[in-house]
């Protein structure tokens, strides 16, 4: 099948076998018709594709933003990062296709308004910023969400304390309880 041309000048084509790609107004294949699933083009000309069981990102010129290696991908967020899963680990990619951290994470949360996200690495929790820099070292057994005062409850070996948005312990982690 052949769909109408999108704002980017490309038309999605699908073979009878279900493979998908895009052609330009001259009929030139821009994105090869080898994808089993595709997303919608973003305003800045990016799209996700699936080949077999793996995902990747491409641009409107048909160039690969990433290799098609991810087990799962998520849309780009307002912070211009998209979550990806490679094997059992999560990370985020930029719109240039670079991961923000060299090492992936076994669990991740959602981005906060302050541009932070909790991560779990080697069994411990911490937080990173949008550049992948650890703002809160991965040393905590638990890490609660930040409250309206900008502090989060943390624990290490059944001792509790509180950290602020800069990752500093505002109440030292040596208490039997923390409210």
């Amino acid at each position: 099948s052949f769909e109408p041309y999108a704002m980017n000048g490309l038309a999605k084509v699908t073979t009878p076998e279900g493979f998908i790609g895009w052609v330009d107004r001259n009929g030139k294949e821009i994105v090869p018709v080898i994808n089993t699933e595709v997303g919608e083009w973003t305003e800045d000309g990016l799209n996700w594709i699936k080949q077999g069981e793996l995902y990747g990102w491409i641009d409107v010129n048909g160039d690969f933003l990433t290799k098609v290696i991810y087990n799962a991908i998520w849309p780009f967020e307002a912070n211009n990062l998209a979550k990806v899963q490679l094997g059992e680990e999560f990370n985020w990619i930029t719109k240039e296709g670079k991961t923000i951290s060299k090492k992936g994470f076994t669990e991740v949360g959602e981005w906060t308004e302050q541009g932070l996200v909790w991560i779990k690495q080697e069994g411990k929790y911490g937080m990173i910023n949008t550049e992948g820099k650890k703002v809160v070292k991965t040393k905590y057994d638990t890490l609660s969400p930040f409250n309206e005062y900008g502090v989060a409850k943390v624990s290490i070996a059944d001792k509790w304390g509180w950290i602020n948005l800069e990752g500093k312990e505002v109440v030292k982690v040596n208490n039997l309880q923390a409210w």
Side-chain angles (χ1 to χ4, degrees):
S1 71
F2 188 86
E3 294 186 13
Y5 288 97
M7 293 294 288
N8 61 17
L10 299 180
K12 183 164 62 170
V13 294
T14 306
T15 67
E17 297 82 21
F19 293 104
I20 307 162
W22 284 272
V23 296
D24 66 12
R25 292 191 187 276
N26 298 319
K28 180 181 173 204
E29 191 175 80
I30 302 299
V31 177
V33 185
I34 59 173
N35 305 293
T36 53
E37 287 182 46
V38 297
E40 297 294 325
W41 291 101
T42 63
E43 287 182 15
D44 44 2
L46 303 176
N47 202 338
W48 63 264
I49 57 170
K50 183 177 183 185
Q51 295 175 358
E53 295 301 315
L54 300 176
Y55 296 86
W57 282 90
I58 57 169
D59 68 17
V60 73
N61 299 315
D63 296 324
F64 284 93
L65 189 67
T66 69
K67 293 179 180 176
V68 182
I69 58 172
Y70 296 106
N71 301 90
I73 58 174
W74 285 259
F76 280 94
E77 299 183 46
N79 61 11
N80 293 321
L81 298 174
K83 184 167 53 171
V84 293
Q85 181 181 359
L86 181 60
E88 298 296 317
E89 294 191 337
F90 298 91
N91 210 324
W92 286 268
I93 60 165
T94 65
K95 290 191 174 181
E96 292 75 41
K98 306 282 186 229
T99 55
I100 65 168
S101 176
K102 289 184 177 164
K103 192 169 180 345
F105 311 103
T106 54
E107 293 179 34
V108 296
E110 298 296 323
W111 291 98
T112 67
E113 291 178 14
Q114 297 83 10
L116 303 173
V117 66
W118 67 261
I119 48 104
K120 186 174 185 182
Q121 204 171 46
E122 298 173 7
K124 300 291 181 180
Y125 292 93
M127 293 192 92
I128 60 170
N129 64 17
T130 56
E131 287 85 43
K133 180 179 181 246
K134 284 188 183 172
V135 177
V136 176
K137 292 181 183 175
T138 47
K139 67 178 188 176
Y140 297 103
D141 296 329
T142 62
L143 172 63
S144 72
F146 284 95
N147 65 21
E148 66 270 22
Y149 305 108
V151 293
K153 188 167 46 169
V154 293
S155 74
I156 299 174
D158 295 324
K159 302 285 185 180
W160 295 86
W162 292 87
I163 60 170
N164 64 16
L165 290 166
E166 289 80 43
K168 293 185 175 42
E169 290 183 7
V170 293
V171 174
K172 198 118 177 92
V173 180
N174 62 7
N175 300 289
L176 294 177
Q177 293 180 336
W179 283 257

